[in-house]
Amino acid sequence: MMAKKKAASRNFSKPIRWFWMCFLAAVLGVGLIFTSASLGLFGEMPDTTALENPRTNLASEIISSDGETLGKFYYEDNRTPVAFSDLPKHLIDALIATEDVRHFEHAGIDARGTLRAIVKLGKGGGASTISQQLAKQLFHGEGSRNKVGRITQKIKEWVIAIRLERQYTKEEIIAQYFNIYDFGNNADGIRSASRIYFGKEPIDLSINESAMLVGMFKNSSLYNPRPKRNPVGTKNRRNVVLSQMAKYGFLKETIKDSLKQLPLALNYSPESHREGIATYFRSYLRGFMKEWVNNPLNTKPNGDTYNIYKDGLKIYTTIDSRMQTFAETATKEHMANLQAEFFVQNTLRRNRTAPFLDLEPEEITNLLSTSMRRSERWRKMKYDLKKSNKEIIASFDKPIPMKIFSWTAKNNEIDTIMTPKDSMRYYKSFLRAGMLSMEPQTGHVKAWVGGVNYKHFQYDMAKQGKRQVGSTFKPFVYAAAIDQLHLSPCDTFPKSQITIEAMKYGNMQPWSPKNSGGNYGGFETLKSALANSRNTITARLMNEIGPQPVIDLALSLGVEQDIPAVPSIALGTPDLSVYEMVAAYSTFANQGVYTKPVMVTRIEDKNGTILYQNTLETKDVLSKEVAYVTVKLMEGVTKFGSGQRLRHSAAKDQLVYKEIVTGYPYEFTNPIAGKTGTTQNQSDGWFMGMVPNLVTGVWVGGEDRATHFKTITYGQGAAMALPIWANYMRSCYALEELGVSKEDFVEPEELTIEVECDPILEEGDPIPIDTTPITPDIDF
């Protein structure tokens, strides 16, 4: 009996021994596998440094003065990380409920989920935790397609996930996962996704919006919510996420059911270098940043050069997003009206050389030929594709599909077929615009508009483009004369024609400028002469002081161009940019102190370390008295001169050119100093306007000087440029928190020059009301 019992005992202990042997072998095997993976035997593994600082490309962010994101610089990854605290709770709940409900319980590997996946062969759902998915995103992407490769990858994910859990908190892992994921359409990371798909920051996402974005974690290429992609599938996937949230107690069933009925409600706002707000400014800023990073003084601590597309710099600018929006809106609204009238007046039916005036067919051929050789198409075919000149020229006459700009089309684009040469002529028919607005005391540029549409017109007419400035140059002549001769706005001069003899001031021929309208009788105060842009009186001032003092003053005011020392500069023959003109005029508003324009206040690295801090650059140019007297002269322009439309409120149907007086009447009552400008043949229209703490300049014209209105009625600065300024300022005043001044300009304590006097109107002068065209300020 005892022998039988011993035999039974031995038979029973044998399976137990086998069980423990298998168990220990499994443990040792798992340990060996994990150790082998950690040692890199299954492929390269990240070291401690890589885990502490995962290598991800971060876009550099452009931040406005009011804290809004204007845009980003990036090549492949449009990623700007956010902290866990910047994520709404329902977004986190949606992720937990859908991707890893036991995220806060496990140590990187969900044993229950893994066992379930093994038993059901993956048919009951995946077992990857958020930590594992983060490991996959950070260190080896999609990985292998074969079974052995997938198993090896999964093992590596387990190891990395455990190491990530030791390195970071659960909250940090969630934030990293949201920041690393590619949501498609250049939406890298949750912040870009929130802004691109819904036009808001992550913290402002609704439950529905959060559920949609979390649903995209399954496959952002498949679940693409854009209308022509997969909005139905994306909505269904969103509803799955809502159901998961209800299943795990994050949502009530009734709320879930109501949310499922709602549409996706996208507010698709693509973030690219050609779209969005302040595109021309961002283009300028890219050049500024490239120059900054290439400066040997601005390297990283290890000596490497910063990469503006990958290093996540934060660039703090002076642009105010609200004022920028006002500026862009004012420009687009007016230019659409102006262009419509230009097309009416300048069609092939009315003008066989349209859109050009004053050119012969041969001259037009030469102009288009020159434009071809300067085009990007020519450059690419010549240098990238190594095509011959003959082949390139032939390509310009071959019709091809293209998108062209149109003010009347949806999104301002038309799909058409056209030859590149015809498209060049078509684009030359569009009037362009440039605008810049700056605080004179700080030099901070608050708004920058370089054109009407950056995607189609990339040449920046705010700073890059330089055009004749016309009568807007006259305040420099007046200021120099006041400074040297101690003149008063109340001093009178004859309007009669004057001739500056040849060679007196470097002029090869006698110079005898004419007045618009041919009025030369009687006398006129300087205040009235500037207000009505009287060329002969400006010429008299030039004859008294000569061109050199005017040039010296202009250069001291920030003008960058070389100006020839000839009398004709008095009427605005130099080509200058809006940027230069605004900086120069700001000196008058800032009591004679020139302040260099500022666009960037500081630059920080991704950790918030300040790399660059702007230092204000100023210099005294004029006395407070001379600056103030010049301002008072320019106030006359808006009271009874070529800028009087800013104040008057005649019935719009009485206006001669009511089609283009966008937003009229304006009815400003506060002090405004300004000057209109119109060049010969109406090729350029300008308006410079100032209040005590904001100076804004506007230019309007064609790409070529031959593209212009036929008559001064429509082509003068008061019609082409002034309405943009007026509508922009009206919007700025409507938002009182901007603090744009309505006060008087600061009067110096010791004012020895008389400034208050009425204009002298002689017989033949126009009546200063707005039912007739404004007195032209054209320069001859």
Side-chain angles (χ1 to χ4, degrees):
M1 180 66 69
M2 290 296 293
K4 289 183 179 179
K5 287 184 178 181
K6 289 181 180 181
S9 177
R10 285 196 298 271
N11 291 336
F12 180 75
S13 62
K14 192 173 183 179
I16 295 176
R17 287 198 302 272
W18 276 106
F19 169 79
W20 283 109
M21 288 172 63
C22 291
F23 177 77
L24 290 172
V27 171
L28 289 173
V30 170
L32 181 62
I33 290 172
F34 272 72
T35 302
S36 299
S38 299
L39 293 174
L41 298 182
F42 293 162
E44 185 179 358
M45 294 286 284
D47 58 18
T48 304
T49 302
L51 288 172
E52 291 177 350
N53 298 285
R55 298 180 101 187
T56 55
N57 295 332
L58 303 179
S60 290
E61 187 176 7
I62 306 164
I63 304 170
S64 69
S65 62
D66 55 319
E68 297 295 324
T69 298
L70 297 176
K72 301 174 186 176
F73 294 135
Y74 65 92
Y75 271 144
E76 297 177 354
D77 298 332
N78 177 23
R79 179 178 293 104
T80 305
V82 295
F84 182 84
S85 58
D86 294 323
L87 302 175
K89 184 177 183 300
H90 50 254
L91 178 67
I92 298 164
D93 292 342
L95 179 69
I96 297 297
T98 309
E99 298 291 328
D100 185 2
V101 73
R102 286 178 289 277
H103 171 72
F104 288 99
E105 300 170 11
H106 59 66
I109 300 174
D110 184 359
R112 288 168 56 185
T114 303
L115 183 61
R116 182 196 68 231
I118 292 173
V119 171
K120 296 185 177 182
L121 300 177
K123 294 180 180 179
S128 289
T129 63
I130 293 174
S131 301
Q132 287 175 248
Q133 294 179 57
L134 176 61
K136 179 179 178 180
Q137 291 283 333
L138 282 174
F139 298 109
H140 53 83
E142 293 301 319
S144 176
R145 292 184 176 272
N146 63 66
K147 287 186 177 180
V148 175
R150 287 201 298 271
I151 293 171
T152 302
Q153 175 180 303
K154 184 61 65 175
I155 293 170
K156 290 167 67 177
E157 284 178 17
W158 287 342
V159 174
I160 297 172
I162 293 172
R163 292 171 66 185
L164 285 173
E165 291 270 352
R166 293 173 180 172
Q167 188 73 40
Y168 299 102
T169 66
K170 292 287 188 179
E171 291 78 11
E172 288 172 335
I173 287 172
I174 288 176
Q176 283 197 57
Y177 187 46
F178 273 117
N179 286 326
I180 197 65
Y181 192 74
D182 179 0
F183 290 87
N185 298 303
N186 288 327
D188 299 296
I190 189 63
R191 184 160 187 256
S192 292
S194 301
R195 290 172 56 85
I196 288 174
Y197 291 120
F198 298 109
K200 58 179 66 173
E201 295 296 324
I203 197 67
D204 298 320
L205 290 170
S206 67
I207 297 175
N208 245 355
E209 293 163 348
S210 294
M212 190 203 87
L213 293 175
V214 167
M216 293 176 72
F217 276 116
K218 188 172 182 67
N219 186 334
S220 59
S221 296
L222 175 61
Y223 298 109
N224 188 327
R226 292 179 63 185
K228 293 184 180 181
R229 300 301 175 86
N230 188 15
V232 175
T234 305
K235 182 179 178 181
N236 292 337
R237 178 61 187 164
R238 179 205 67 181
N239 289 347
V240 169
V241 175
L242 292 172
S243 295
Q244 288 293 104
M245 294 178 73
K247 176 181 177 180
Y248 291 107
F250 295 114
L251 274 184
K252 292 182 179 179
E253 286 289 334
T254 53
I255 296 176
K256 176 207 71 175
D257 292 337
S258 63
L259 290 176
K260 279 187 173 184
Q261 305 306 313
L262 298 177
L264 292 178
L266 290 186
N267 178 18
Y268 185 63
S269 308
E271 289 187 347
S272 73
H273 303 307
R274 293 187 174 191
E275 296 170 300
I277 190 174
T279 45
Y280 291 91
F281 171 74
R282 286 190 274 137
S283 179
Y284 157 79
L285 188 61
R286 184 185 293 109
F288 174 93
M289 289 303 300
K290 285 182 177 179
E291 184 176 332
W292 183 84
V293 299
N294 287 323
N295 187 328
L297 299 177
N298 301 326
T299 58
K300 296 179 182 179
N302 64 1
D304 290 346
T305 300
Y306 283 101
N307 187 318
I308 66 172
Y309 302 106
K310 296 181 178 181
D311 284 338
L313 301 176
K314 291 189 180 297
I315 308 160
Y316 292 87
T317 73
T318 60
I319 298 293
D320 186 292
S321 67
R322 300 159 297 182
M323 297 173 76
Q324 180 68 29
T325 300
F326 296 154
E328 292 183 9
T329 300
T331 301
K332 290 176 181 178
E333 288 180 352
H334 177 63
M335 293 305 294
N337 291 337
L338 193 67
Q339 190 67 50
E341 181 59 28
F342 182 77
F343 280 150
V344 169
Q345 296 186 24
N346 200 7
T347 63
L348 285 171
R349 182 173 58 84
R350 294 188 177 189
N351 171 23
R352 63 186 178 87
T353 63
F356 311 110
L357 296 174
D358 315 317
L359 292 184
E360 296 299 323
E362 183 179 352
E363 293 176 299
I364 295 175
T365 300
N366 292 337
L367 187 152
L368 292 175
S369 178
T370 301
S371 297
M372 279 195 304
R373 293 173 183 272
R374 293 176 177 174
S375 68
E376 183 68 8
R377 180 184 183 83
W378 184 286
R379 188 196 67 77
K380 286 184 177 180
M381 294 187 72
K382 181 75 172 178
Y383 300 106
D384 295 349
L385 302 179
K386 308 299 181 183
K387 299 292 184 180
S388 67
N389 288 0
K390 184 178 180 180
E391 289 175 305
I392 299 173
I393 292 171
S395 75
F396 275 87
D397 290 316
K398 182 180 179 181
I400 57 174
M402 63 176 68
K403 292 181 182 291
I404 60 173
F405 177 78
S406 171
W407 278 115
T408 57
K410 183 180 180 180
N411 298 324
N412 297 132
E413 276 192 340
I414 297 175
D415 288 305
T416 188
I417 297 176
M418 184 183 289
T419 69
K421 183 184 287 184
D422 287 340
S423 73
M424 285 173 51
R425 188 163 185 160
Y426 173 76
Y427 276 103
K428 286 180 179 294
S429 69
F430 283 90
L431 297 173
R432 315 295 174 87
M435 176 184 180
L436 194 133
S437 190
M438 171 179 144
E439 290 178 349
Q441 291 78 22
T442 63
H444 287 190
V445 174
K446 309 307 293 182
W448 179 309
V449 181
V452 296
N453 185 293
Y454 183 77
K455 187 174 181 179
H456 292 276
F457 306 95
Q458 293 188 20
Y459 194 74
D460 177 20
M461 293 306 302
K463 190 175 191 294
Q464 191 176 6
K466 298 176 185 287
R467 294 294 289 261
Q468 281 192 353
V469 295
S471 292
T472 56
F473 194 84
K474 289 177 180 176
F476 305 154
V477 180
Y478 277 67
I482 293 168
D483 187 39
Q484 293 208 358
L485 305 177
H486 207 67
L487 295 175
S488 163
C490 304
D491 290 338
T492 59
F493 286 79
K495 290 188 286 184
S496 58
Q497 208 164 357
I498 179 176
T499 298
I500 297 180
E501 60 269 24
M503 305 307 296
K504 181 174 183 180
Y505 291 119
N507 48 312
M508 302 301 294
Q509 301 292 331
W511 185 58
S512 301
K514 299 177 182 178
N515 287 330
S516 178
N519 183 2
Y520 302 102
F523 289 76
E524 192 168 32
T525 63
L526 286 182
K527 192 169 190 175
S528 176
L530 185 64
N532 292 294
S533 216
R534 204 73 70 193
N535 291 336
T536 53
I537 292 182
T538 307
R540 289 183 182 278
L541 297 178
M542 177 61 74
N543 190 45
E544 290 290 327
I545 62 174
Q548 194 57 53
V550 178
I551 294 171
D552 293 341
L553 175 60
L555 295 177
S556 296
L557 295 174
V559 169
E560 301 167 352
Q561 292 293 105
D562 291 331
I563 301 175
V566 293
S568 60
I569 64 170
L571 304 188
T573 55
D575 290 344
L576 304 177
S577 66
V578 178
Y579 173 90
E580 291 171 285
M581 292 297 290
V582 168
Y585 269 63
S586 293
T587 307
F588 299 128
N590 194 30
Q591 297 182 287
V593 178
Y594 169 79
T595 303
K596 185 177 179 180
V598 178
M599 281 69 74
V600 177
T601 55
R602 75 180 187 275
I603 301 170
E604 296 179 357
D605 68 11
K606 63 181 181 181
N607 299 315
T609 301
I610 296 177
L611 307 175
Y612 166 85
Q613 188 90 40
N614 177 72
T615 302
L616 194 65
E617 296 182 40
T618 64
K619 62 178 177 180
D620 293 335
V621 176
L622 296 167
S623 68
K624 291 182 179 180
E625 183 175 48
V626 171
Y628 181 73
V629 172
T630 307
V631 167
K632 298 302 286 185
L633 280 168
M634 287 190 279
E635 282 188 1
V637 174
T638 67
K639 288 181 178 179
F640 50 81
S642 56
Q644 63 180 288
R645 178 176 295 120
L646 293 172
R647 304 190 180 284
H648 290 228
S649 57
K652 190 169 182 178
D653 58 6
Q654 293 180 292
L655 296 176
V656 174
Y657 32 75
K658 58 187 177 184
E659 302 90 348
I660 62 169
V661 190
T662 309
Y664 184 85
Y666 310 118
E667 299 179 318
F668 291 105
T669 58
N670 56 290
I672 299 171
K675 187 70 190 79
T676 55
T678 311
T679 60
Q680 216 159 6
N681 297 325
Q682 302 81 244
S683 295
D684 306 279
W686 289 79
F687 184 72
M688 304 295 302
M690 304 187 295
V691 296
N693 66 349
L694 194 65
V695 177
T696 305
V698 182
W699 167 88
V700 174
E703 177 185 342
D704 304 286
R705 290 186 59 81
T707 303
H708 58 79
F709 279 103
K710 291 181 179 179
T711 66
I712 189 70
T713 301
Y714 287 88
Q716 62 180 294
M720 291 212 296
L722 180 144
I724 295 176
W725 188 94
N727 288 304
Y728 165 69
M729 289 298 292
R730 183 158 56 189
S731 296
C732 289
Y733 281 131
L735 190 60
E736 293 184 2
E737 64 189 80
L738 292 176
V740 179
S741 175
K742 291 186 177 181
E743 305 300 318
D744 289 319
F745 289 89
V746 178
E747 181 178 326
E749 294 180 0
E750 297 182 5
L751 183 62
T752 63
I753 299 175
E754 183 182 5
V755 294
E756 297 297 340
C757 52
D758 293 326
I760 299 176
L761 293 176
E762 299 289 346
E763 185 179 354
D765 280 339
I767 300 173
I769 60 174
D770 221 7
T771 56
T772 61
I774 294 297
T775 308
D777 55 8
I778 192 167
D779 306 302
F780 297 90

